[in-house]
Amino acid sequence: MNCKSQSQRVIKEFENFLSTPLETQLQRHLTTHSSFLALFHDVAANVPAYKAFLAEREINPANIKTLEDFQKLPAIAKENYILRYPLADLCRNGQLESCDMIAASSGSSGKPTFWPRFFTDELQIATRFEQIFHDSFYTDTRRTLAVICFTLGTWVGGMFTTNCCRYLASKGYPLTVITPGNNKEEILRVVQELGSAFEQVVLLGYPPFLKDVIDTGIARGVEWEQYKIKFVMAGEVFSEEWRSLVGKRVGSQNPCYDFASLYGTADAGVLGNETPLSICIRRFLAENPDASRTLFGESRLPTLVQYDPCSRFFEVRDGALLFSGDNGIPLVRYDILDTGGIISYEAMLEFLAEWGFDPVVELQNQNSQFRIQNSARGIHSLPFVYVFGRSNFTVSYFGANIYPENVTVGLEQPAIQEWVTGKFVLQVKEDADKNRFLSVVVELAPGVEGSEAQREAIASSILSQLLRLNSEFANYVPPEYQTPQVTLAAMGDAEYFPIGVKHRYTRK
């Protein structure tokens, strides 16, 4: 693509983003068929790596004509595709220079993977942010300060989020962006010195880090309630108890409209986002674990978001999520190694009706209670995708799969939440007689030394939630082996909670 045609593409796409109302964007799926076949043929014709990938498997792109044909294509993944070909060959026409930015992500190996991007890739992601800022935070009518608390630099989250928020400001939203990154001291300074000039302050970052910012602020006398704090999060599954806890600490009264989590990846940006409707549904399921198990088939509560099928095409294969979408590196049937599933809007409401719950009515009642002007705001007939995350983060104990999410709820109960940071390491160990036991090392909050009474209370709380939430645990594990052995560790413990290292909640 030459310079002139590239600039024309930018102008056209940006004008379309600026002039198209959000509601129009979110209704495209009602009249437009998914473009996954067109994407496939474009990638097969113009991306050297994908051409080679198909040729090695003797696949003729001309034979791929239907959804059934498409679903027979081999999935691509980081190992068999991204890491096998030169970076330029993964881009259209083998031209890395056709992308204007490169971001980095680091997997479990710690070795960065590079992801080329182009300006127009970010515009479709900006629509996901617009959903949140418009539908949840009413930013179209409220002067808003967006504080970017994701890591800045080459890492994907901070710069991507910053750019998308600035595009919303360009579209006319009274939104101002500031980028302290994950510098906690600077975040606190920014909020206290600038927050009162705005009607609300949005903190965007990883859930455990944002909680740490809030807790540190409280310890220093910050009155969060005056700033009308909202949260945009990504990167980790969290419980509804966590949402309620953090909301309470900042004075939130309507969590369905004060929080939103993104299902995002370095590979393809944001794939879906929490909406007021999805949060309302998830909070009901958290209170009704039998309904949750029936719907999701597991004893843990996944992230639940809505997605735009015109932007990302999802499939499920053997419990794994595959998606297709256009980016600097276009991806066709990409396996990100997340487990989960998809549910249509209609199927979700039908299921909930069987359990006596209507989330649309519930959300409208909440809006009336909090005097929200448009009772339908945040309610769209988009499909749902649920995400458990990587399956290798579980531990197996007496044949029962134990999930970090189950333990998290135990640490977020009243009283206990004041003693701990929320971080822990879950592990199955053996004693001297080779008897297995469930070990949970828990990080204490700053200034908490930890007592035997606290340790016992934490163990009891974790056990109570495991029995409530995890039917495998309750039925597979003999009672004498059910109580976890809890160890309390100081904040920043070098062995279990080293500072500056991405935390892993399980060890094999």
Side-chain angles (χ1 to χ4, degrees), residues 331-378:
L331 299 171
V332 177
R333 305 202 80 219
Y334 186 68
D335 185 354
I336 198 172
L337 303 181
D338 278 340
T339 57
I342 52 180
I343 305 171
S344 72
Y345 178 83
E346 294 78 12
M348 177 66 84
L349 265 58
E350 287 175 8
F351 172 84
L352 294 169
E354 294 173 3
W355 289 82
F357 182 65
D358 187 333
V360 174
V361 171
E362 173 65 23
L363 205 58
Q364 290 173 338
N365 289 341
Q366 287 184 22
N367 292 345
S368 298
Q369 178 185 351
F370 293 104
R371 297 184 176 86
I372 293 178
Q373 297 167 347
N374 181 358
S375 64
R377 191 179 281 224

Side-chain angles (χ1 to χ4, degrees), residues 109-158:
S109 68
K111 183 180 179 181
T113 301
F114 294 110
W115 300 99
R117 304 257 188 246
F118 187 60
F119 173 80
T120 53
D121 301 330
E122 295 180 339
L123 293 178
Q124 59 181 325
I125 307 303
T127 300
R128 308 281 74 78
F129 282 88
E130 186 176 8
Q131 261 188 278
I132 292 169
F133 278 86
H134 178 276
D135 285 354
S136 298
F137 303 159
Y138 278 67
T139 303
D140 53 322
T141 62
R142 299 171 183 169
R143 298 188 317 277
T144 302
L145 178 66
V147 184
I148 310 300
C149 307
F150 289 109
T151 306
L152 298 173
T154 57
W155 307 111
V156 66

Side-chain angles (χ1 to χ4, degrees), residues 315-442:
E315 304 170 75
V316 181
R317 185 189 66 176
D318 299 327
L321 289 170
L322 307 181
F323 69 85
S324 303
D326 201 2
N327 309 278
I329 295 179
L331 299 171
V332 177
R333 305 202 80 219
Y334 186 68
D335 185 354
I336 198 172
L337 303 181
D338 278 340
T339 57
I342 52 180
I343 305 171
S344 72
Y345 178 83
E346 294 78 12
M348 177 66 84
L349 265 58
E350 287 175 8
F351 172 84
L352 294 169
E354 294 173 3
W355 289 82
F357 182 65
D358 187 333
V360 174
V361 171
E362 173 65 23
L363 205 58
Q364 290 173 338
N365 289 341
Q366 287 184 22
N367 292 345
S368 298
Q369 178 185 351
F370 293 104
R371 297 184 176 86
I372 293 178
Q373 297 167 347
N374 181 358
S375 64
R377 191 179 281 224
I379 301 173
H380 300 287
S381 58
L382 294 165
F384 295 85
V385 58
Y386 60 91
V387 190
F388 289 113
R390 307 296 160 86
S391 58
N392 61 344
F393 289 169
T394 63
V395 300
S396 180
Y397 186 53
F398 287 89
N401 287 321
I402 311 297
Y403 306 104
E405 295 91 334
N406 299 157
V407 177
T408 294
V409 176
L411 297 179
E412 290 169 348
Q413 299 306 305
I416 288 170
Q417 64 195 21
E418 307 296 334
W419 306 335
V420 301
T421 66
K423 288 184 182 178
F424 59 88
V425 174
L426 175 65
Q427 196 171 6
V428 175
K429 292 184 175 182
E430 289 184 346
D431 62 20
D433 291 327
K434 301 298 182 182
N435 295 316
R436 306 189 88 200
F437 63 92
L438 194 63
S439 166
V440 185
V441 181
V442 177

Side-chain angles (χ1 to χ4, degrees), residues 94-301:
Q95 296 178 334
L96 181 60
E97 66 274 17
S98 67
C99 297
D100 59 13
M101 191 170 183
I102 297 176
S105 69
S106 181
S108 57
S109 68
K111 183 180 179 181
T113 301
F114 294 110
W115 300 99
R117 304 257 188 246
F118 187 60
F119 173 80
T120 53
D121 301 330
E122 295 180 339
L123 293 178
Q124 59 181 325
I125 307 303
T127 300
R128 308 281 74 78
F129 282 88
E130 186 176 8
Q131 261 188 278
I132 292 169
F133 278 86
H134 178 276
D135 285 354
S136 298
F137 303 159
Y138 278 67
T139 303
D140 53 322
T141 62
R142 299 171 183 169
R143 298 188 317 277
T144 302
L145 178 66
V147 184
I148 310 300
C149 307
F150 289 109
T151 306
L152 298 173
T154 57
W155 307 111
V156 66
M159 295 300 294
F160 212 112
T161 301
T162 301
N163 290 345
C164 289
C165 289
R166 293 192 73 186
Y167 302 150
L168 296 187
S170 298
K171 194 168 182 175
Y173 286 85
L175 176 65
T176 303
V177 184
I178 191 165
T179 56
N182 62 343
N183 183 328
K184 185 164 60 173
E185 297 299 325
E186 187 68 358
I187 294 167
L188 292 171
R189 186 179 74 86
V190 162
V191 172
Q192 291 177 94
E193 294 190 17
L194 297 177
S196 58
F198 297 85
E199 292 173 88
Q200 61 184 359
V201 174
V202 181
L203 303 179
L204 302 95
Y206 297 113
F209 179 72
L210 293 181
K211 180 179 180 295
D212 185 32
V213 170
I214 297 304
D215 291 347
T216 301
I218 291 172
R220 297 184 186 180
V222 176
E223 296 179 0
W224 289 109
E225 189 170 352
Q226 66 176 304
Y227 302 114
K228 301 295 187 289
I229 299 293
K230 316 291 183 187
F231 297 94
V232 176
M233 300 159 296
E236 291 193 19
V237 180
F238 54 85
S239 69
E240 289 306 315
E241 286 84 353
W242 185 95
R243 197 192 311 261
S244 296
L245 167 65
V246 175
K248 180 180 179 182
R249 292 183 178 177
V250 299
S252 166
Q253 295 184 317
N254 193 358
C256 292
Y257 282 85
D258 292 343
F259 291 80
S261 184
L262 304 167
Y263 174 33
T265 74
D267 318 53
V270 178
L271 304 175
N273 54 280
E274 280 192 327
T275 62
L277 183 64
S278 75
I279 295 172
C280 182
I281 292 170
R282 191 172 189 261
R283 291 178 74 80
F284 168 79
L285 294 171
E287 293 293 327
N288 295 269
D290 288 344
S292 180
R293 277 192 295 271
T294 302
L295 182 61
F296 301 125
E298 293 204 19
S299 298
R300 50 179 173 160
L301 189 64

Side-chain angles (χ1 to χ4, degrees), residues 57-77:
R57 291 155 180 81
E58 299 182 346
I59 296 172
N60 182 355
N63 294 334
I64 309 303
K65 300 176 181 179
T66 66
L67 174 60
E68 185 178 0
D69 297 334
F70 181 82
Q71 291 179 327
K72 292 177 182 177
L73 288 167
I76 62 174

